[in-house]
Amino acid sequence: MSAATHFTHAIVRAPSASVTGGLRAVDTGSPDARQFAADHASYVTALKNTGAEVIALPALEDFPDSVFVEDAALCLPDGAVVLRPGAPSRLGEAAAMEPTLCDVYERVARVEDGFIEGGDILVTDREILVGLSARTDAAGVAALRAIVEPWGHSVRELETPPDVLHFKTDCGLLDGKTVLATRRLAASGCFADYQVIEVAAGEEPCANCIRFNGVVLFPAGFPQTAARLREAGYDLVELPNEQAALIDGGMSCLSLRFTPS
Ligand code: CIR
């Protein structure tokens, strides 16, 4: 069983009413806070159905994007790392997450230099891949490396494709050695040592999915890629993601997944 896909716990945070003001690269309308909350509840139910214990944190009105807990921290089997989000409006989310991490982990470290967001970090069985992006810089990657290499992890620094928010906007881990990836990311060669299932053309937004225990949590509305995954033997739970997508969020962003040491 892969420690990169099997977990006992997840942390989520309720969406705030202020989620309507969440950051977005292109404005195609604001999410509806009530529908966002309903979709979030479905997501939490899906996590619980995997057998996970879900730690549900209260909404933070001062941080419109704080529902996307993944960007504030990295949870590893050996400890947790408080990250430094590169979006100025999100920096304070990391400090808000730290007490919860200290409750569930014996070892909690903090990135003090540069910037790094969890959406740019893909943990697999053999390594930690980090994509440089508008939110994650080389100093942030170096700071993460200095923390986790002594814990036995190797860090590989990569480029996130241009104009893509996060590295994991374009990929998701399906099992310890298999990823779902967009063609543009797969073409970069960064997954040469992995099995890759490509997202169907025109369905790029579904690349951000998560494997959690027996299932893949997958955004609804991407039938060709869903069929590819089912043919490959994966059990999908399709969830509504239209509201989160309006502010560039997806399946991975909405939780921190871990098994405390
Ligand atoms: C942002 O721009 O920061 C949020 N609106 C979306 C964050 C998505 N997070 C993620 O992919 N890990």
Side-chain angles (χ1 to χ4, degrees):
M1 221 161 49
S2 164
T5 54
H6 286 69
F7 315 96
T8 60
H9 289 68
I11 297 172
V12 298
R13 188 182 287 289
S16 55
S18 62
V19 74
T20 52
L23 297 172
R24 65 210 77 175
V26 178
D27 193 2
T28 55
S30 292
D32 176 86
R34 196 176 294 190
Q35 187 59 48
F36 203 122
D39 293 354
H40 192 259
S42 302
Y43 180 87
V44 172
T45 298
L47 287 178
K48 287 181 177 167
N49 287 343
T50 70
E53 181 177 323
V54 178
I55 300 168
L57 302 178
L60 293 177
E61 288 301 335
D62 289 347
F63 296 100
D65 286 296
S66 56
V67 67
F68 302 121
V69 287
E70 174 181 67
D71 294 316
L74 176 65
C75 292
L76 295 169
D78 358 58
V81 182
V82 181
L83 300 175
R84 264 176 66 77
S89 67
R90 303 198 61 192
L91 193 52
E93 292 176 31
M97 183 57 70
E98 188 167 343
T100 304
L101 299 174
C102 291
D103 284 346
V104 295
Y105 273 100
E106 284 178 14
R107 183 153 64 172
V108 177
R110 203 182 300 129
V111 168
E112 309 270 15
D113 294 317
F115 295 102
I116 183 164
E117 295 192 356
D120 283 315
I121 305 174
L122 183 75
V123 179
T124 77
D125 271 353
R126 63 177 87 124
E127 60 182 343
I128 299 176
L129 293 85
V130 189
L132 298 170
S133 72
R135 304 287 183 84
T136 293
D137 63 15
V141 180
L144 179 70
R145 181 180 275 122
I147 293 167
V148 301
E149 280 191 348
W151 299 356
H153 299 277
S154 66
V155 172
R156 182 152 60 105
E157 184 181 293
L158 301 159
E159 295 291 337
T160 298
D163 302 323
V164 172
L165 174 61
H166 284 133
F167 185 71
K168 279 190 303 194
T169 303
D170 269 27
C171 65
L173 191 72
L174 295 170
D175 60 44
K177 53 187 178 338
T178 309
V179 292
L180 176 68
T182 60
R183 177 160 293 189
R184 65 189 167 202
L185 185 57
S188 74
C190 67
F191 294 125
D193 295 334
Y194 292 82
Q195 291 171 17
V196 178
I197 296 178
E198 269 186 25
V199 168
E203 293 191 346
E204 285 72 16
C206 73
N208 181 271
C209 63
I210 53 167
R211 173 74 183 272
F212 198 116
N213 297 342
V215 297
V216 176
L217 304 194
F218 188 80
F222 301 94
Q224 294 177 66
T225 309
R228 277 184 198 179
L229 291 173
R230 289 198 167 102
E231 275 162 31
Y234 294 100
D235 188 4
L236 266 53
V237 176
E238 296 191 57
L239 292 165
N241 193 57
E242 291 89 353
Q243 303 304 313
L246 287 168
I247 49 172
D248 304 337
M251 295 290 113
S252 78
C253 332
L254 293 166
S255 60
L256 286 165
R257 304 157 291 278
F258 65 105
T259 301
S261 45

